[in-house]
Amino acid sequence: MSYTERLPRIRTYLMCPPEHFTVEYAINPWMDTTVPVDPALALKQWQMLRDTLTDLGHTVHVLEAVPGLPDMVYAANGAFSVDGKVYGARFKYPQRAAEAAAHRQFYVGGPWTFADPEYVNEGEGDFAYMPDAHGGLILAGYGFRTDPAAHAEAQEVLGRPVISLKLVDPAYYHLDVAFAALDDRNVTYFPEAFSESSQRVLAQLFPDAVIADRADAEAFALNLVSDGRNVILNSESTALGEKVRAAGYNPVYVELGELKRGGGSIKCAVAELRP
């Protein structure tokens, strides 16, 4: 496929400003409570990401930050939506549990059908949707956060087939730090983050995938947002940027170093709304 055939699709996103962002506890290997966060810089970088998305023509809704919930900036974790149906989140760790209610309030009363979850899942942290892959396919991660039973629950709620993928490296505790959709049918991923069986599944489903290496993964390069042509990556991810450029996409870089202190990057900060 030539570069000119990579066409963007206008998206709608949800973000939450890092108004209360700190690293006061450690619930993933990237969080270091001994290194202070620069709140002003975090907010400036977040605003740059939001402006990048809107400048590309996308709509960004803003969820109000709640005091005492420093990780709300990782808006992707709060729910997962497909075709106007929303499967709510249920967080593993008590420090983040109250975030689920804030996201639920955003959806309930709007043009959505909202389902409260029975099982632990962390929204788009562990779910990804590929509308044009095999008729519409959900990829779902488990191993560290999301309960595998949530995959079957999501399938019933959303009416799309769910493919379970086992994560095996605690550094890549969510699907969205090891795997990303580049467009509606193609992906990029870091194979070693997955079990051998899950690697075989991914290779079969996505033979044209852009394969990332460990250096890409450690730079949080897989934690990206793409509209099908423009691939928004953090500024440390130039190596993966060149790989996606070679595959016909347009890399766009945004500095988001402060949010990495909490174990997230571009995608963690951006939930896609699929009406």
Side-chain angles (χ1 to χ4, degrees), residues 75-100:
N77 300 151
F80 176 56
S81 65
V82 174
D83 297 334
K85 299 175 182 178
V86 181
Y87 178 51
R90 183 177 179 183
F91 288 85
K92 178 176 180 178
Y93 291 103
Q95 292 94 330
R96 300 195 65 183
E99 294 179 39

Side-chain angles (χ1 to χ4, degrees), residues 197-209:
S197 293
S198 292
Q199 289 181 43
R200 290 195 293 270
V201 169
L202 286 167
Q204 179 176 333
L205 290 174
F206 304 108
D208 298 324

Side-chain angles (χ1 to χ4, degrees), residues 87 119 127 147-158 160 162 164:
Y87 178 51
Y119 298 102
F127 288 102
D147 187 326
H151 297 183
E153 186 175 46
Q155 181 169 276
E156 289 303 305
V157 168
L158 302 171
R160 296 290 186 181
V162 175
S164 295

Side-chain angles (χ1 to χ4, degrees), residues 60-211:
V60 177
H61 295 281
V62 176
L63 181 66
E64 184 178 351
V66 176
L69 297 177
D71 284 345
M72 267 192 76
V73 65
Y74 303 122
N77 300 151
F80 176 56
S81 65
V82 174
D83 297 334
K85 299 175 182 178
V86 181
Y87 178 51
R90 183 177 179 183
F91 288 85
K92 178 176 180 178
Y93 291 103
Q95 292 94 330
R96 300 195 65 183
E99 294 179 39
H103 282 265
R104 186 184 192 279
Q105 186 176 3
F106 173 83
Y107 291 104
V108 172
W112 311 91
T113 301
F114 188 92
D116 288 306
E118 179 179 353
Y119 298 102
V120 170
N121 82 88
E122 299 195 341
E124 284 194 328
D126 272 328
F127 288 102
Y129 183 51
M130 309 293 300
D132 291 341
H134 308 278
L137 194 64
I138 295 170
L139 287 304
Y142 73 98
F144 298 102
R145 296 291 183 90
T146 294
D147 187 326
H151 297 183
E153 186 175 46
Q155 181 169 276
E156 289 303 305
V157 168
L158 302 171
R160 296 290 186 181
V162 175
I163 302 295
S164 295
L165 301 169
K166 185 177 182 179
L167 296 161
V168 296
D169 186 332
Y172 310 108
Y173 57 94
H174 272 160
L175 182 70
D176 71 358
V177 292
F179 171 101
L182 291 173
D183 54 36
D184 290 343
R185 66 177 64 200
N186 198 25
V187 306
T188 178
Y189 65 95
F190 173 47
E192 292 176 42
F194 298 91
S195 69
E196 291 185 5
S197 293
S198 292
Q199 289 181 43
R200 290 195 293 270
V201 169
L202 286 167
Q204 179 176 333
L205 290 174
F206 304 108
D208 298 324
V210 175
I211 302 300

